[in-house]
Amino acid sequence: MPRNWSRSTATAGATPASPPEAVRVYRAKDLDELSRMAAGHLVTAVQRTKGPFSVVLSGGSTPRRLHELLAAEPYRSLMPWDRLNVFFGDERCVPPEHKDSNFAMAKSTLLARAPIPAEQVFRMRGEDVPPEAALAYEADLKAFFRGRPPAFDWVFLGLGDDGHTASLFPGSPALEEKSRPVVSNRVEKLNADRLTLTYPVLNAAKVVCFLVSGEAKAPVLKRILEEGGASGFPAAGVRPATGDLRWYVDQPAARLLKP
Ligand code: 6PG
């Protein structure tokens, strides 16, 4: 476990659905320590759970180190891979071997290195027509959760410096989705469509972990942690109704936060 990390309970500001005590900020020295912390907490959570465990991976670059750690010792031997079911928080509308694919990143850093049964990896089909791919993923979720509303055991999310998370970008239509768990989303700033989980399913999760690293994230992280939903950033809309909300942040990202 990481050497020197502090856990401070930060209230998430105005109108958090999560009770303030359920919002925790874990501070790490750097990305490596942040990733070790998150890896250890995830493995412990899976070990303590009976039966299938569902984890949602996020895209971007921050999770790479976490994935590499999980696929290597000591975490590789500690993780109950036979009970782990891997899902994705969002996906670019590209084929699975494309350099921009979140699945491709997860495959190269984790899925191809760890003994996860292939049938326990649920990929968003970025190569398909986006609305059809979203419907297909919704069907996957319906099947996995046996018709009950999807409630993931553990969701990893990243944070963009514009306050987006998954592919919930500022001003994008998916922010308004109130029922479907996954949609295709038009992201004008990228001039691209994305597949993304939505607030209803993110806020139904048991544990949501943001991994935030690097000084570029410091201003938006400060606004979100100190203003909560009032900040207006998409990531601030992730407030699990009954689950834990956790922020794993390294020192550069936390540099503007109150001590
Ligand atoms: C994506 C991600 C996205 C990401 C943030 C942070 O598909 O790009 O899901 O939400 O988590 O943009 O990305 P970095 O980790 O690269 O800073």
Side-chain angles (χ1 to χ4, degrees), residues 67 70-72 76 79 81 84 107 109-117:
H67 295 176
L70 288 170
R76 181 188 175 87
M79 175 68 87
W81 300 103
L84 194 73
K107 182 177 177 184
T109 54
L110 175 61
L111 304 177
R113 303 183 185 189
I116 305 176

Side-chain angles (χ1 to χ4, degrees), residues 58-63 90 92 102 158-160 164-167 194 217:
S58 80
S61 57
T62 302
D90 67 327
R92 290 81 180 279
N102 288 336
L159 178 66
H164 81 263
T165 192
S167 282
R194 288 281 189 93
K217 310 292 176 75

Side-chain angles (χ1 to χ4, degrees), residues 57-64 89-92 100 102 156-162 164-169 194-195 211 213 217:
L57 301 181
S58 80
S61 57
T62 302
R64 296 181 72 95
D90 67 327
E91 185 55 280
R92 290 81 180 279
D100 292 344
N102 288 336
F156 282 114
L157 289 173
L159 178 66
D161 55 15
D162 62 355
H164 81 263
T165 192
S167 282
L168 298 170
F169 282 80
R194 288 281 189 93
L195 297 170
L211 304 186
S213 170
K217 310 292 176 75

Side-chain angles (χ1 to χ4, degrees), residues 112-132:
R113 303 183 185 189
I116 305 176
E119 65 274 14
Q120 290 173 207
V121 177
F122 299 84
R123 178 176 73 83
M124 290 182 174
R125 295 178 56 84
E127 68 273 27
D128 289 352
V129 173
E132 294 171 14

